[in-house]
Amino acid sequence: MNLTLRQLRAFAAVAETGSFTTAAGQLHLTQSALSVLVRELEREMGVQLLDRNTRRVQLSEAGREFLPSVHRLLSDLTSAVAGVTDLRDKKKGLLRLAAPQLMACTLMPRVIAAYREAYPDVDVRLADTLPEHLLLGVAAGDVELAVGQDVAVDAAAIERRTLFRDRHWLICPPGHAFAKRRKVRWHELEPYTFIAPTRDFRQRVLPELGAEERAFLMRPGTQEVSYMTTALGMVASGLGLTVCPTYSASLVRAHGLQMVRLESPDFHREVCVYSAARRSLSPAAASFVGILEQFATAQPKA
């Protein structure tokens, strides 16, 4: 059986108006074209749905039985189309995101606020996570997007898009000898306790450093923590120095600390957005990536 939407709408219109002429006008069809659609439907169904005479059109017994189902089908279809249209236009929807704890409390709230201003009816849920767990939610389908610093991915499973490159800065208390400096070189950190802000930081920065700086980072006195907030709290208490990316400036200021340019060498990391490979983004996710790219463009060139 090969019923069409046009046939069902033609039948419903005639049944509701009791007139081929009126129904044809409603559907912007000629009366003959409408009659053909109804006859085709009856032929496919193998039963007469409308009793016709020269004075009026009325439903047959089979037509009365069939009409409520047609109304439900057309109503469900209208609702389904409206729902998809709302998703397309971001008038509703749910977007689940993941980001490491530092980014989740600095950059992401600003991006989400801008997104909600543009699309207030999309519900955005943010999960903060450890950097090493960033992609687990994407792989499991628990989140649609993850935003964070560059990590190795399986290209067959995860798609990575670079948003911007971000410099790491030295963080010190306002009364420290480095606080008034325009820039500090890595080898100048040797007399001080260094607090590595994440568990994998040393492995990432070591290839960028010379032998002297590598020895400094690998010495037993180097502290290593899991969260940037822990590192900042320790620096604020005079327990050492740390580094952090540009986007965390608001958190650094909240701790009353100073950011000083750290170079020789410069250390940058890419900030990326991750999604499931070979899976199209929802309209809500695609528009969120657009907002992210706007923020990336506005990032200061460190």
Side-chain angles (χ1 to χ4, degrees):
M1 188 174 293
N2 186 24
L3 307 183
T4 70
L5 184 59
R6 295 183 73 225
Q7 292 168 354
L8 295 174
R9 283 176 171 159
F11 164 67
V14 175
E16 290 161 5
T17 62
S19 166
F20 276 86
T21 302
T22 304
Q26 287 182 353
L27 298 177
H28 306 290
L29 297 171
T30 64
Q31 187 170 335
S32 60
L34 181 67
S35 297
V36 168
L37 289 172
V38 174
R39 285 198 300 271
E40 288 175 347
L41 176 61
E42 290 177 324
R43 186 163 56 249
E44 286 290 335
M45 297 287 293
V47 65
Q48 187 168 323
L49 300 171
L50 297 169
D51 292 329
R52 307 159 177 85
N53 58 45
T54 56
R55 301 183 61 183
R56 62 177 183 169
V57 179
Q58 60 185 25
L59 288 166
S60 68
E61 185 64 30
R64 283 192 293 273
E65 179 73 20
F66 186 46
L67 183 61
S69 297
V70 173
H71 281 157
R72 284 195 298 272
L73 188 152
L74 294 176
S75 176
D76 289 347
L77 180 61
T78 299
S79 298
V81 170
V84 172
T85 300
D86 283 347
L87 289 175
R88 180 199 66 196
D89 297 337
K90 280 77 73 180
K91 292 180 180 178
K92 69 174 185 179
L94 172 63
L95 177 59
R96 290 186 172 90
L97 311 169
Q101 189 262 351
L102 175 61
M103 187 169 287
C105 71
T106 54
L107 176 64
M108 293 303 289
R110 293 186 285 128
V111 179
I112 292 171
Y115 183 82
R116 282 186 169 166
E117 184 175 352
Y119 307 108
D121 296 320
V122 177
D123 185 10
V124 181
R125 308 282 179 86
L126 175 62
D128 53 355
T129 182
L130 289 170
E132 56 267 32
H133 296 162
L134 178 64
L135 301 183
L136 295 181
V138 175
D142 295 330
V143 299
E144 189 170 2
L145 298 175
V147 184
Q149 293 181 326
D150 58 305
V151 294
V153 300
D154 175 3
I158 302 292
E159 179 178 332
R160 177 175 61 189
R161 181 184 312 189
T162 300
L163 295 169
F164 59 92
R165 293 180 75 244
D166 197 359
R167 168 185 290 277
H168 274 61
W169 300 74
L170 176 68
I171 309 303
C172 62
H176 195 276
F178 290 149
K180 302 301 181 183
R181 296 267 299 270
R182 290 184 60 251
K183 58 186 178 182
V184 174
R185 293 175 173 84
W186 277 92
H187 71 83
E188 296 181 87
L189 305 183
E190 198 276 334
Y192 304 98
T193 298
F194 184 77
I195 304 168
T198 60
R199 297 293 179 186
D200 69 342
F201 179 80
R202 287 192 289 184
Q203 285 67 37
R204 286 186 168 273
V205 76
L206 285 176
E208 308 287 332
L209 302 177
E212 184 179 348
E213 291 83 6
R214 284 199 297 269
F216 155 65
L217 278 189
M218 296 307 294
R219 65 186 180 179
T222 297
Q223 299 277 338
E224 195 173 65
V225 297
S226 296
Y227 297 103
M228 175 58 73
T229 47
T230 303
L232 294 178
M234 294 177 71
V235 173
S237 296
L239 300 178
L241 305 176
T242 191
V243 297
C244 74
T246 308
Y247 62 77
S248 62
S250 60
L251 189 62
V252 174
R253 289 193 296 267
H255 280 78
L257 301 173
Q258 299 288 116
M259 298 177 71
V260 182
R261 186 182 180 96
L262 184 60
E263 57 181 41
S264 297
D266 296 339
F267 180 58
H268 294 83
R269 285 188 66 179
E270 293 180 340
V271 174
C272 305
V273 58
Y274 302 89
S275 59
R278 296 188 298 274
R279 186 183 303 168
S280 60
L281 294 179
S282 68
S287 56
F288 191 85
V289 171
I291 298 287
L292 276 171
E293 290 173 338
Q294 292 175 23
F295 268 77
T297 301
Q299 285 293 310
K301 301 299 185 289

